[in-house]
Amino acid sequence: MQHKIAILGSTGSIGTQTLDVISHFPDRFKASVLAAGSNVGLLIEQALKHRPALAIIADETKYTQLRDALSPFGIETAAGTTAMSEAMERDDFDTVVTATVGYSGLLPTIRAIRTGKQIALANKETLVVAGELVNRLLTDSSSRVIPVDSEHSAIYQCLVGENNDTVNKLIITASGGPFRTFGHEAIASVTAQQALKHPRWHMGAKITIDSATMLNKAFEIIEARWLFDINPDKIEAVVHPQSIIHSMVEFIDGAVKAQLGIPDMRLPIRYALGDASRLPSSERPLSLSDYAELSFEKPDPEKFPCLTLAPYALNKGGNAACIINAANEVAVKAFLDGRISFPGIYDTITKALENIHFIARPSLDDYVSTHYETIAFTSRLTGTAPTLNQSQTHNTEH
Ligand code: NDP
Ligand code: MG
């Protein structure tokens, strides 16, 4: 059977790699919906190649260009930030790859759960912002979430055939990012250009900065907590600079299972699109003799204080992680624009946590208003103009 796929964020790093996987398996996969933020040129190119039923551009100013290019080919077009959520109601696809950045993934994912779609989840921020709510919605839905994030895909693969009651610990590996070997003082003055050079992975700008602050690892701990419904005390991170072991699971008998491979996101993408099955790859396989050593280190929360935000958010619960995510979205932009320093990212997040109203049992509307309240507060704090993701007033479509 040919799986019909919707890709939210088709023009990004995960989106383009997903289309690459789809191109390799034309009998198995078909892209039915493509959605992008503002890169209309690439979206048109992708749509002309893959011939989806629908192409969506979030940036409404680019709509005419999209429609004029695609309507002669019978491809439907839509624009605006709610169009992605509305598209989740369609019945011409069964799996959605959520590969937009940040909070923008939340409402379409919730709509996809409500309509019973299978979800290949790259957008970890969805679970960071509202993991407890997402899990509650999943219990009443036929949706299933298969992770695309490489660490979570690794853990998912290690858990196949195992009884979850026998899990002692999830061990999430981290490359350590570009500043792993830097001292405190050197880290305080790093530039955006330095932070954008990730040693192992080529990813979008936001996750690359999150990797440099190691907030990405804190987010992945929160993601794992909800994805695998596991007690936070049983999740730990270990720095593994070669990024060959993608993560591990320790069991009660002392056995540790790991998933290894060369760093290539197309493996977890193939696994998720294939419904947790193994599809052949034409890439060069891992050759362990290429690696003189596989090494491991403890992460250093004094050097990377963002690591402390995972235990903080998981202990505190409520809307705490939603505040952290929104503050970080603004802080990353301010850092990239040169308006705050690298340590200023953590400082912006802690100021937001001190100032934004804590809600112990948030509803979806509470998450939405927390997000925009935090965006407004941190934008004022850092002198940042809102982006496409951040410019809406309270948008309660869901
Ligand atoms: P990119 O920045 O490369 O791509 C983001 C995509 O989302 C682009 O297609 C962009 O469109 C689109 N987009 C951005 N904002 C909006 C919006 N408001 N509405 C609709 N579309 C939008 O990011 P990545 O591919 O690196 O990351 C995507 C997600 O996957 C993130 O959540 C990240 O944490 C996660 N992830 C990524 C990994 C990677 O290796 N890249 C690994 C693990 C997880 P456009 O460019 O047209 O503006
Ligand atoms: Mg990851």
Side-chain angles (χ1 to χ4, degrees):
M1 192 189 81
Q2 201 186 34
H3 271 304
K4 303 263 174 54
I5 318 274
I7 307 173
L8 307 183
S10 65
T11 50
S13 160
I14 294 292
T16 50
Q17 293 182 83
T18 303
L19 283 171
D20 186 44
V21 168
I22 289 175
S23 301
H24 278 88
F25 299 95
D27 297 335
R28 205 180 255 270
F29 304 125
K30 162 92 186 133
S32 284
V33 177
L34 299 179
S38 60
N39 188 347
V40 71
L42 182 55
L43 178 61
I44 291 170
E45 198 183 297
Q46 292 176 336
L48 291 176
K49 179 172 176 205
H50 290 271
R51 299 298 168 103
L54 171 67
I56 302 170
I57 190 94
D59 181 349
E60 293 182 32
T61 64
K62 310 275 174 68
Y63 178 64
T64 318
Q65 194 183 342
L66 184 71
R67 185 199 57 203
D68 292 354
L70 300 184
S71 63
F73 298 92
I75 299 171
E76 272 178 71
T77 49
T81 47
T82 58
M84 283 194 310
S85 290
E86 282 156 16
M88 297 302 104
E89 301 285 339
R90 294 171 70 97
D91 53 15
D92 54 3
F93 68 93
D94 44 72
T95 301
V96 54
V97 181
T98 66
T100 64
V101 190
Y103 171 86
S104 66
L106 177 67
L107 297 180
T109 305
I110 286 181
R111 195 78 162 255
I113 294 171
R114 290 191 166 139
T115 53
K117 304 291 188 201
Q118 301 308 301
I119 297 164
L121 185 103
N123 181 265
K124 67 191 85 186
E125 294 93 337
T126 291
L127 289 180
V128 171
V129 171
E132 197 264 336
L133 172 77
V134 167
N135 273 10
R136 237 184 307 132
L137 294 173
L138 279 168
T139 55
D140 298 325
S141 163
S142 57
S143 275
R144 192 158 66 115
V145 176
I146 302 184
V148 168
D149 211 351
S150 58
E151 295 78 1
H152 304 73
S153 177
I155 291 168
Y156 193 103
Q157 293 174 56
C158 292
L159 289 173
V160 169
E162 302 289 352
N163 177 343
N164 282 0
D165 296 340
T166 64
V167 172
N168 237 5
K169 215 195 281 176
L170 306 183
I171 305 163
I172 300 185
T173 52
S175 71
F179 308 134
R180 181 177 62 90
T181 57
F182 283 39
H184 282 266
E185 277 177 29
I187 285 185
S189 58
V190 295
T191 62
Q193 212 183 2
Q194 286 174 292
L196 282 170
K197 282 205 189 98
H198 194 277
R200 300 278 168 225
W201 303 91
H202 297 287
M203 311 177 286
K206 194 250 181 193
I207 185 178
T208 305
I209 301 301
D210 291 350
S211 299
T213 59
M214 292 199 79
L215 183 60
N216 182 51
K217 222 33 69 178
F219 279 178
E220 290 184 350
I221 288 173
I222 299 172
E223 179 185 11
R225 187 261 174 272
W226 300 115
L227 202 51
F228 302 108
D229 201 11
I230 189 167
N231 187 322
D233 298 345
K234 292 184 166 187
I235 311 171
E236 70 175 41
V238 63
V239 174
H240 164 50
Q242 297 82 13
S243 299
I244 291 301
I245 297 179
H246 297 307
S247 278
M248 300 174 254
V249 179
E250 181 190 290
F251 295 91
I252 50 173
D253 62 353
V256 177
K257 275 168 91 175
Q259 186 257 330
L260 286 72
I262 52 168
D264 183 344
M265 286 308 295
R266 286 170 301 181
L267 191 153
I269 293 169
R270 268 196 307 275
Y271 189 78
L273 288 188
D275 246 339
S277 66
R278 303 217 175 269
L279 301 177
S281 162
S282 51
E283 299 302 313
R284 189 175 61 87
L286 173 66
S287 163
L288 281 175
S289 55
D290 291 348
Y291 297 86
E293 63 167 5
L294 296 183
S295 57
F296 304 93
E297 298 161 15
K298 274 199 163 147
D300 182 349
E302 283 188 19
K303 236 161 67 172
F304 299 103
C306 285
L307 283 167
T308 62
L309 294 170
Y312 173 86
L314 289 170
N315 282 333
K316 183 111 180 158
N319 62 346
C322 176
I323 297 170
I324 293 169
N325 177 70
N328 180 57
E329 289 189 19
V330 173
V332 166
K333 183 167 186 292
F335 171 66
L336 287 173
D337 294 348
R339 266 175 292 101
I340 63 171
S341 68
F342 189 71
I345 297 176
Y346 176 73
D347 296 342
T348 304
I349 296 170
T350 54
K351 287 203 181 88
L353 285 168
E354 285 159 18
N355 283 278
I356 303 297
H357 179 56
F358 176 69
I359 304 172
R361 296 186 147 272
S363 65
L364 179 53
D365 286 345
D366 291 330
Y367 284 119
V368 174
S369 50
T370 298
H371 175 78
Y372 288 107
E373 208 184 309
T374 310
I375 294 285
F377 173 77
T378 49
S379 295
R380 280 194 305 275
L381 196 66
T382 59
T384 306
T387 63
L388 179 66
N389 274 343
Q390 301 160 357
S391 57
Q392 303 113 36
T393 49
H394 293 190
N395 176 358
T396 50
E397 58 84 19
H398 39 76

